[in-house]
């Protein structure tokens, strides 16, 4: 038998070399790899503290572990509940709800969200419960499980369900510890929120007024920026630290009056833009007189240019009528002018929203019998039931809402009218896109609707524009046709000059539409998508090489999108690094994404401002120009193909990084006080009863800045959503502005700030409407009060949020790392 020490001595050089190699791997290579991984994840190692409070904290590792275990607990209880229900029972625990119609568990009796914010809130509430002497023992937790099983599931089967639902990652000990936190936090939560959702009848009426009472005001702006130079002194160190603490974890939001020094997520987008009307105009410019004459002769031969003898020539077209016409290929719908007639300049029509569907078939030679449909007021927005968790966010009332004002919007039905229309009347108002949330840069929102909605809106806009600009002659024709005289009506052929624009538009579209689609296809399918595939492959190899420390792979050559766009006749644009707050102010940012394989849907400024969107993935969006429709012009439709070329994650600053911004915010606070005082002094000079109320308060030049708004309500209800009303001619206003306006008396003068307090308006109340008697009548006729009750619920939810904030202040809660960075 050989001596092992002799073997070691014989091979000691190899053994020593192996030990040195292991030491290098353990103490040099492994720490370096961990450091690289932490840098790639923003420097948040497992030991980094996410949130701390007096007496407790959660690290990154704690949070990740808690999220995983809470998700397993929710799956376990959900599977256990299904087993109990299938056995003929139902869990007997507070807060549990099972929908027998859908056969789905709606509530489990504990918090079901497993996101980081919910986990942190549960731990903080559990700690508060412990301070109040509320603790659950193992026996109490076992009693909860027994009540949950309702005597229908054996202990052995419970263990099987736990093992199957969690994959063996959740033990009995884990279940007990998780439930101790959950049950303790539920007790504190339900105790605190027990009185928040009681609503007095008087409050319901006040909320009803917010939806139904409107105000009309005159306003003069006093700008805070004008008083920045008048601020004297400098902030103390304590004031600087206080302001920084308030904004150190808040996004820098230009729409908020609160301090925010966290730089939001930013991205750089490159895009090509297409406007079909520009392509049509381009093709029109290429048409020769001979081509137009030849097409005119062809259409005359086919009798496609017939109009009633007594129809007015194009020269009589009103100056303010939109110069838009329907191609000869479009067959009039029932209820329009005669089918044989082609719209002239006196019968403006609107180009289709989806030009790709156009064809060159001649219109029917048979006259259509028009149907006369009276114009009706738009119906109120439809509302559907919505609900949420009972403990903190109880569901909205399920009944219909008769209190909401009818929301004037574009419907999906074409309204053809034979009664004379007021051509000077303004077009119907259109919904404004949703604004960005002040709480999160990635949650912005404008609201811009998706592409399908925009296409429908384009079609509806066409119908509205056509109806509102119809001439007296067309209306007379329709009335005559409806009485059965269309077949005997004397017809004439349009002159070349009358039909010239329509013919040019028809010929131009026949060439513009296929060329336009080919250009978009060429950019997207032949350039952007192939490069995206190559870049994804490169990124995968790059990351693998970075981890392995091998030689870097070459990045594929990026196409010159600007040059390509110019070659195919498309417009090009690049945003530069920008955030959602700035992007939503642009037409591209408001454009709506067509839902793709990533599930992106909504405004670009909202849906595309995310780290989840890969670099260089081509995405399409579209924009419907509602503003031109509101101004009585033919709305335009834009299409975009874009990709993200660069990004910068959220940046948490140190005081030294943003000290100048903190000082600037302090100066702004002082300037606000000066501006508000100046506005209050000015308000005293405005005469509430004189014929020229602003004469003694303002100079002649300043009086030109006074604006008069249209009537507006405090809150606008869209479907199931309550939105702050966007007051025309004023900067974005909020609750403080509305509170000041609607608490004043008719004819009185008050001061009201914008949402971000950059302007203090001197506001004169012109009038309120309707009167109190009519409001009382409407309120009594509204049986379910759904609209007011939904506002009351939102106000109660805000009380709960305020309670949480007070609790966080009491416990000294501080988030060291933004939860959306984990």
């Amino acid at each position: 038998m050989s001596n092992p020490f002799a073997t070691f001595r014989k091979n000691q050089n190899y053994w020593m070399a192996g030990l040195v190699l292991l030491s290098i791997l353990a103490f040099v290579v492994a720490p370096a790899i961990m450091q690289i991984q932490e840098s790639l994840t923003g420097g948040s190692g497992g030991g980094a503290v996410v949130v701390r409070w007096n007496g407790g904290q959660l690290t990154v590792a704690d949070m990740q572990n808690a999220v995983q275990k809470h998700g397993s607990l929710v799956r376990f209880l959900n599977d256990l509940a299904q087993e109990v229900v299938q056995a003929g029972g139902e869990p007997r625990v507070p807060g549990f709800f099972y929908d027998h119609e859908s056969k789905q568990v709606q509530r489990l009796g504990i918090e079901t969200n497993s996101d980081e914010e919910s986990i942190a809130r549960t731990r903080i509430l559990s700690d508060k419960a412990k301070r109040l002497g509320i603790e659950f023992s193992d026996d109490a937790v076992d009693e909860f499980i027994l009540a949950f099983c309702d005597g229908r599931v054996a202990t052995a089967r419970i263990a099987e369900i736990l093992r199957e639902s969690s994959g063996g990652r959740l033990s009995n000990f884990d279940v007990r510890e998780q439930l101790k936190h959950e049950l303790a936090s539920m007790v504190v939560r339900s105790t605190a929120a027990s009185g928040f959702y009681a609503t007095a009848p008087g409050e319901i009426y006040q909320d009803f007024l917010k939806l139904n009472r409107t105000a009309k005001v005159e306003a003069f702006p006093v700008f805070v920026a004008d008083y920045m130079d008048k601020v004297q002194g400098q902030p103390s160190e304590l004031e600087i630290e206080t302001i920084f603490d308030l904004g150190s974890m808040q996004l820098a939001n230009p729409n908020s009056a609160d301090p925010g020094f966290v730089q939001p997520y930013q991205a750089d987008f490159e895009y090509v833009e297409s406007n079909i009307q520009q392509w049509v105009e381009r093709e029109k410019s290429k048409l020769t007189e001979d081509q137009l004459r030849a097409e005119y002769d062809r259409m005359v031969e086919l009798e496609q240019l017939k109009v009633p003898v007594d129809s007015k020539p194009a020269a009589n077209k009103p100056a303010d009528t939109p110069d838009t016409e329907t191609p000869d290929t479009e067959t009039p719908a029932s209820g329009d002018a005669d089918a044989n007639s082609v719209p002239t300049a006196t019968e403006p029509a609107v180009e289709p929203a989806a030009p790709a569907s156009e064809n060159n078939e001649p219109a029917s030679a048979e006259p259509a019998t028009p149907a006369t449909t009276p114009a009706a007021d738009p119906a109120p927005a439809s509302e559907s039931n919505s609900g949420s968790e009972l403990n903190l966010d109880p569901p909205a009332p399920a009944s219909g809402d008769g209190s909401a004002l009818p929301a004037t919007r574009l419907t999906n039905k074409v309204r053809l009218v034979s009664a004379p229309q007021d051509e000077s009347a303004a077009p119907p108002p259109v919904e404004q896109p949703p604004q960005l949330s002040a709480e999160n840069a990635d949650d912005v929102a404008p609201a811009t609707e998706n592409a399908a909605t925009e296409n429908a809106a384009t079609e509806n806009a066409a119908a509205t524009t056509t109806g509102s600009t119809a001439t007296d002659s067309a209306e007379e024709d329709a009335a005559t046709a409806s009485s059965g005289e269309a077949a005997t009506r004397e017809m004439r052929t349009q002159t070349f000059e009358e039909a010239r624009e329509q013919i040019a538009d028809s010929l131009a579209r026949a060439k513009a539409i296929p060329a336009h689609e080919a250009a978009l296809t060429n950019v997207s399918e032949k350039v952007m998508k192939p490069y995206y595939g190559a870049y994804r492959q490169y990124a995968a190899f790059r990351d693998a090489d970075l981890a392995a420390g091998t030689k870097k792979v070459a990045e594929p050559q990026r196409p010159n999108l600007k040059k390509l766009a110019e070659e195919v006749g498309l417009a090009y644009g690049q945003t530069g690094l920008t955030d959602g707050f700035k992007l939503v102010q642009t037409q591209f940012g408001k454009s709506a994404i067509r839902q793709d394989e990533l599930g992106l849907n909504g405004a670009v400024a909202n849906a595309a401002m995310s780290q989840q969107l890969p670099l260089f993935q081509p995405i399409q969006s579209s924009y419907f120009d509602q503003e031109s429709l509101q101004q009585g012009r033919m709305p335009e439709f834009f299409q975009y193909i874009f990709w993200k070329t660069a990004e910068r994650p959220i940046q948490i600053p140190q005081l030294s990084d943003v000290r100048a911004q903190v000082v600037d915010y302090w100066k702004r606070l002082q300037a606000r006080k000066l501006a508000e005082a100046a506005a209050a002094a000015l308000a005293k000079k405005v005469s509430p009863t004189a014929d020229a109320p602003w004469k003694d308060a303002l100079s002649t030049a300043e009086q030109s800045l006074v604006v008069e708004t249209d009537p507006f309500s405090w809150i606008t209800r869209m479907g199931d959503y309550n939105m702050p009303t966007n007051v025309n001619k004023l900067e974005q206003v909020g609750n403080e502005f509305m509170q000041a306006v609607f608490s004043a008396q008719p004819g009185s003068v008050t001061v009201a700030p914008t949402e971000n307090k950059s302007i203090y308006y001197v506001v004169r109340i012109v009038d309120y409407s309707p009167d109190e008697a009519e409001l009382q009548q409407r309120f009594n006729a509204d049986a379910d009060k759904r609209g007011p009750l939904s506002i009351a619920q939102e106000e109660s939810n805000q009380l709960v949020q305020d309670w949480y904030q007070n609790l966080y202040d009491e416990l000294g809660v501080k988030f060291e790392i933004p939860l959306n960075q984990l």
Side-chain angles (χ1 to χ4, degrees):
M1 182 177 179
S2 61
N3 189 337
F5 290 103
T7 304
F8 174 76
R9 284 194 299 270
K10 182 179 179 180
N11 301 287
Q12 62 179 344
N13 291 336
Y14 299 107
W15 285 105
M16 292 302 295
L19 289 173
V20 170
L21 180 60
L22 287 174
S23 299
I24 292 174
L25 291 174
F27 299 105
V28 179
V29 177
I33 292 176
M34 291 178 64
Q35 185 176 4
I36 292 173
Q37 289 176 338
E38 288 185 9
S39 65
L40 292 175
T41 58
S44 300
V49 176
V50 177
V51 56
R52 66 172 77 248
W53 62 93
N54 299 334
Q57 66 177 32
L58 282 173
T59 65
V60 172
D62 294 333
M63 183 67 76
Q64 293 172 346
N65 185 49
V67 167
Q68 181 182 23
K69 288 188 175 180
H70 186 268
S72 298
L73 176 66
V74 170
R75 287 192 296 272
F76 163 63
L77 291 179
N78 187 75
D79 292 348
L80 184 58
Q82 294 286 359
E83 186 95 359
V84 171
V85 172
Q86 290 175 9
E90 188 165 314
R92 307 293 179 182
V93 297
F96 180 87
F97 177 73
Y98 182 83
D99 188 349
H100 290 274
E101 183 175 345
S102 63
K103 297 183 179 180
Q104 294 291 327
V105 176
Q106 300 294 331
R107 291 191 291 269
L108 289 171
I110 66 167
E111 174 64 66
T112 55
N113 292 323
S114 297
D115 58 278
E116 289 83 358
E117 182 178 2
S118 299
I119 297 297
R121 178 172 292 179
T122 295
R123 292 300 176 88
I124 294 169
L125 288 176
S126 176
D127 188 79
K128 175 64 176 178
K130 186 176 181 180
R131 296 166 189 251
L132 296 174
I134 302 172
E135 292 188 81
F136 284 80
S137 64
D138 290 346
D139 292 339
V141 172
D142 290 344
E143 287 295 329
F144 175 86
I145 295 294
L146 290 174
F148 198 93
C149 292
D150 195 21
R152 307 285 176 162
V153 183
T155 303
R157 179 55 184 154
I158 295 175
E160 290 179 6
I161 295 174
L162 175 61
R163 184 170 58 255
E164 293 169 358
S165 61
S166 67
R169 291 187 294 271
L170 204 63
S171 64
N172 291 339
F173 175 80
D174 293 330
V175 171
R176 286 195 178 99
E177 292 302 308
Q178 288 279 317
L179 285 176
K180 286 177 184 178
H181 290 300
E182 294 293 332
L183 297 177
S185 66
M186 291 296 290
V187 171
V188 175
R189 184 185 286 116
S190 59
T191 301
S194 58
F196 287 151
Y197 294 98
T199 305
E203 293 179 8
I204 297 177
Y205 182 67
Q206 293 302 317
D207 290 334
F208 172 86
L209 293 181
K210 291 179 180 179
L211 289 167
N212 292 273
R213 191 185 188 203
T214 63
K216 184 177 181 181
V217 305
E218 293 175 343
F220 175 79
V222 177
F223 296 93
V224 172
D226 294 341
Y227 292 85
M228 290 288 286
D229 293 339
K230 299 180 181 180
V231 175
Q232 297 180 353
Q234 292 293 325
S236 66
E237 199 63 30
L238 178 60
E239 288 175 314
I240 290 177
E241 292 177 359
T242 301
I243 292 174
F244 176 74
D245 288 341
L246 289 173
S248 62
M249 299 301 292
Q250 300 297 323
L251 290 171
N253 182 0
N255 300 320
S256 174
D258 299 326
F261 306 114
V262 176
Q263 294 303 308
Y265 172 83
Q266 293 187 336
D268 186 3
F269 295 98
E270 196 177 28
Y271 60 86
V272 294
E273 177 189 87
S274 171
N275 180 356
I276 182 62
Q277 191 59 34
Q278 293 179 355
W279 286 72
V280 172
E281 295 301 325
R282 211 176 302 165
E283 292 296 331
K284 279 185 183 180
S285 65
K286 300 177 184 178
L287 294 173
T288 65
E289 192 74 9
D290 291 341
Q291 288 175 310
L292 295 175
R293 288 283 182 181
E295 179 65 11
Y296 174 77
D297 293 339
R298 186 187 71 83
M299 295 180 70
V300 168
E301 185 178 351
L302 294 174
E303 297 187 347
Q304 292 181 344
L305 297 176
K306 294 289 186 180
V307 293
V309 170
D310 54 352
S311 64
K312 297 178 182 179
N316 295 332
K317 183 184 72 172
D320 59 346
T321 302
D323 190 14
T324 54
E325 300 178 358
T326 301
D328 61 285
T329 60
E330 187 175 28
T331 303
S334 176
D336 211 337
D338 295 343
N340 284 338
S341 67
V342 178
T344 65
T346 62
E347 299 172 315
V350 182
E351 75 177 41
S357 64
E358 295 183 9
N359 54 64
N360 291 321
E361 296 178 5
S364 172
E366 294 296 329
T369 303
T372 303
T373 305
D377 292 335
S382 60
E383 299 171 352
S384 58
N385 187 26
S386 64
S388 56
E389 297 241 358
L390 180 62
N391 42 33
L392 285 180
D393 303 308
S399 53
D401 179 20
S403 62
L405 286 174
T408 304
R409 61 174 67 189
L410 300 176
T411 65
N412 288 329
K413 296 182 179 179
V414 177
R415 293 188 298 160
L416 301 172
V417 295
S418 61
Q421 301 294 307
D422 182 7
E423 294 186 5
S424 64
V430 181
E431 290 183 28
Q432 297 297 321
Q435 302 298 316
L436 280 173
S437 168
E439 298 177 358
N440 193 314
D442 296 333
D443 186 15
V444 290
T448 306
E449 301 177 354
N450 59 30
T453 304
E454 288 181 337
N455 289 339
T458 307
E459 297 170 2
N460 299 331
T464 305
T465 306
T466 303
S468 63
T469 58
T471 62
D472 294 339
S473 175
E475 291 160 4
E476 182 181 348
D477 297 341
T480 305
S482 64
S483 62
E485 300 177 7
T488 59
R489 195 94 183 257
E490 186 178 359
M491 307 293 288
R492 68 175 179 85
T493 301
Q494 286 180 299
T495 66
F496 174 74
E497 292 303 325
E498 286 179 299
R500 181 190 181 93
E501 184 62 26
Q502 173 203 335
I503 293 172
D505 188 83
S506 176
L507 290 175
R509 285 184 182 279
K511 294 183 178 180
I513 291 172
H516 163 262
E517 295 297 332
L520 291 176
T521 301
N522 184 48
V523 172
S524 176
E525 303 296 328
K526 297 182 180 180
V527 178
M528 298 179 75
K529 286 187 176 180
Y531 178 77
Y532 172 59
Y535 182 84
R536 284 188 66 184
Q537 187 176 23
Y538 152 76
F541 283 115
R542 176 197 61 193
D543 295 342
D545 292 341
L546 181 62
T550 57
K551 184 179 179 180
K552 294 183 178 180
V553 295
E555 181 175 353
Q557 183 176 0
R558 179 172 156 188
N560 189 334
L561 204 58
K562 181 179 181 180
K563 181 179 179 182
L564 176 63
E566 292 173 351
E567 290 175 353
V568 298
L570 298 171
Y572 169 85
Q574 187 172 11
T575 64
L577 278 177
T578 185
D579 57 56
F581 297 114
K582 296 175 183 176
L583 189 60
V584 78
Q585 305 300 323
T586 67
Q587 180 173 296
F588 166 65
K590 295 175 185 176
S591 65
I593 293 176
R594 303 174 182 179
Q595 187 165 350
D596 63 358
E597 60 270 18
L598 287 180
L600 296 178
N601 193 21
V604 169
N606 180 18
M609 295 297 292
S610 169
Q611 289 179 286
Q612 303 302 317
L613 176 65
L615 293 178
F616 298 106
Q617 176 172 355
I619 300 176
Q620 296 187 31
S621 66
S622 53
Y623 177 78
F624 174 65
D625 185 12
Q626 299 175 340
E627 192 172 315
S628 61
L629 177 64
Q630 291 177 309
Q631 296 173 357
R633 296 182 286 107
M634 177 63 199
E636 294 184 284
F637 191 75
F638 296 84
Q639 290 177 272
Y640 296 91
I641 303 177
F642 69 94
W643 57 18
K644 181 171 65 176
T645 60
E647 60 185 347
R648 194 196 71 181
I650 292 176
Q651 295 184 345
I652 310 298
Q654 299 296 321
L655 176 56
S656 58
D657 301 327
V658 294
R659 189 179 185 86
Q661 298 176 35
V662 174
V663 172
D664 182 75
Y665 183 81
W666 177 86
K667 289 184 177 180
R668 207 176 316 136
L669 286 177
Q670 313 312 310
R672 286 176 188 171
K673 297 176 183 178
L674 297 175
E676 185 176 15
L682 188 61
K684 294 179 180 179
K685 299 179 182 180
V686 180
S687 174
T689 56
D691 293 336
W694 300 91
K695 182 178 180 181
D696 296 334
L698 303 173
S699 66
T700 303
E702 290 174 329
Q703 289 181 47
S704 63
L705 298 178
V706 177
V707 296
E708 182 175 273
T709 68
D710 294 331
F712 59 90
S713 61
W714 187 324
I715 293 176
T716 299
R717 187 161 173 81
M718 296 292 183
D720 282 337
Y721 298 97
N722 301 316
M723 302 169 56
T725 299
N726 185 25
V727 183
N728 70 315
K729 302 179 184 178
L730 300 185
E731 294 296 322
Q732 183 177 344
V733 297
N735 280 330
E736 194 168 346
F737 177 92
M738 296 299 185
Q739 180 68 45
V741 168
F742 284 95
S743 61
Q745 296 297 318
S748 64
V749 182
T750 186
V751 175
T754 55
E755 180 76 11
N756 62 3
K757 294 188 177 178
S758 62
I759 301 174
Y760 283 85
Y761 284 110
V762 180
V763 179
R764 176 179 171 269
I765 311 300
V766 177
D767 62 44
Y768 296 116
S769 63
D771 58 33
E772 185 65 23
E774 183 176 345
L775 287 169
Q776 288 281 358
Q777 184 179 5
R778 288 189 191 180
F779 180 74
N780 294 331
D782 183 7
D784 48 42
K785 310 290 190 298
R786 182 175 182 181
L789 288 174
S790 67
I791 296 177
Q793 177 185 323
E794 292 174 0
E795 292 170 344
S796 298
N797 291 342
Q798 185 58 50
L799 289 176
V800 173
Q801 296 303 316
D802 293 342
W803 177 83
Y804 275 123
Q805 187 58 54
N806 291 333
L807 176 63
Y808 284 7
D809 293 341
E810 175 191 334
L811 298 180
V813 176
K814 184 175 179 61
F815 288 88
E816 304 287 348
I817 300 175
L819 297 177
N820 55 12
Q821 274 199 332
L822 296 178

